[in-house]
Amino acid sequence: MGLTARIRTRDGWAVSHAVVTVTDMTGTQVLRAEADAEGTVRDATPLEPGAYTVIVTAVGYAPTAASAIVTASGRAEIGTVTLARQGGAELPPPGPWTIDPTHSSVGAVAQHLGISSVHGRFTDFTGAIEIAPDDIAKSRVEAVIRAASIDTGNAMRDGHLKSPDFLDVENHPEITYRSTGLTANGPDRWTVHGELGMHGVVRPVDLDLAYLGTGPDPWGGTRAAFRATTELRREDFAMNYNQVVQAGIAAIGATLKVELDVQAVQGEVSLQAGS
């Protein structure tokens, strides 16, 4: 007897804080039940046969309503109810997430000699994401990158990039990013507003963020994937070195394209290198 239902997000994950309210045709509430940690609602209260309205709500999600017919068995089997994020924008389930550096990349592309590109990446970084449960725009991200971990595949060039001409890793060993807010640009696209600290300078930097989805991993955890891009001007961070090789062509371009591919693991977890 009673009510059973499963509450899920659009990508199939449990909404553990959902509430199901059942009203009869006069609008009188006859049952109210909360989902468990698995997003499942089970309530043994028997219901009189007839037609009912089932309303499902959860903080941060748009409410949904459906009709249900209770037969002589006294049961209302609602099945799976899918909730959409408030405002139609999607991010992973609320709570803390830890960026996995083993399965993430922080890359940068600079123009070289005006005709080709130099690709580099930072190999040592950590980060954390907090998805807000009530107002998704209040979600936060912080990251710390070890400047000396720059790798462009050329030891001499890497040494120059670590020097005072560029990153000056002796005096500025860390590159930091702290978000200050989010703006939705579509169902799964966001602008992350934040502050980037690099080479002793802190400036506002926006990231164009795409949420790629959430799924289980082989180690029993849950992972979310993101891709983010931005463009930086070296002179904004007091990196004014420029070698002109000929006819006004700079050896290294003034702008830098940053490309982030991020996997985050649900929870505040200690991550170790692995496959």
Side-chain angles (χ1 to χ4, degrees), residues 172-195:
H172 307 291
E174 292 183 345
I175 300 169
T176 61
Y177 187 80
R178 292 180 176 86
S179 67
T180 56
L182 274 76
T183 301
N185 295 326
D188 54 6
R189 294 190 174 273
W190 298 80
T191 297
V192 181
H193 310 289
E195 294 184 337

Side-chain angles (χ1 to χ4, degrees), residues 46 51 59 75 77 81 85 110 123 145 148 161 173 185 206 231 258 269:
V59 174
R75 290 199 303 267
E77 297 177 354
V81 178
R85 283 283 190 184
T123 60
I145 300 168
L161 291 173
N185 295 326
D206 288 349
E231 190 167 287
V258 179
V269 295

Side-chain angles (χ1 to χ4, degrees), residues 98-105 123-127 263 271:
T98 302
I99 293 175
D100 179 1
T102 303
H103 299 96
S104 302
S105 67
T123 60
D124 187 356
F125 55 90
T126 58
Q263 283 191 26
L271 294 163

Side-chain angles (χ1 to χ4, degrees), residues 84-216:
R85 283 283 190 184
Q86 198 78 43
E90 295 290 329
L91 276 182
W97 294 74
T98 302
I99 293 175
D100 179 1
T102 303
H103 299 96
S104 302
S105 67
V106 176
V109 182
Q111 194 174 51
H112 185 239
L113 301 178
I115 56 172
S116 64
S117 298
V118 172
H119 293 257
R121 65 190 184 105
F122 292 94
T123 60
D124 187 356
F125 55 90
T126 58
I129 300 167
E130 183 75 28
I131 305 297
D134 51 349
D135 181 357
I136 202 167
K138 295 180 180 177
S139 302
R140 298 181 296 111
V141 59
E142 293 190 0
V144 177
I145 300 168
R146 300 295 296 181
S149 70
I150 183 68
D151 178 10
T152 66
N154 181 295
M156 184 177 295
R157 181 167 54 216
D158 292 347
H160 191 194
L161 291 173
K162 296 174 190 178
S163 77
D165 283 342
F166 291 98
L167 293 169
D168 193 6
V169 301
E170 288 266 336
N171 294 306
H172 307 291
E174 292 183 345
I175 300 169
T176 61
Y177 187 80
R178 292 180 176 86
S179 67
T180 56
L182 274 76
T183 301
N185 295 326
D188 54 6
R189 294 190 174 273
W190 298 80
T191 297
V192 181
H193 310 289
E195 294 184 337
L196 178 67
M198 182 168 61
H199 197 230
V201 179
V202 178
R203 286 191 175 273
V205 169
D206 288 349
L207 300 175
D208 294 324
L209 176 74
Y211 168 50
L212 305 179
T214 307

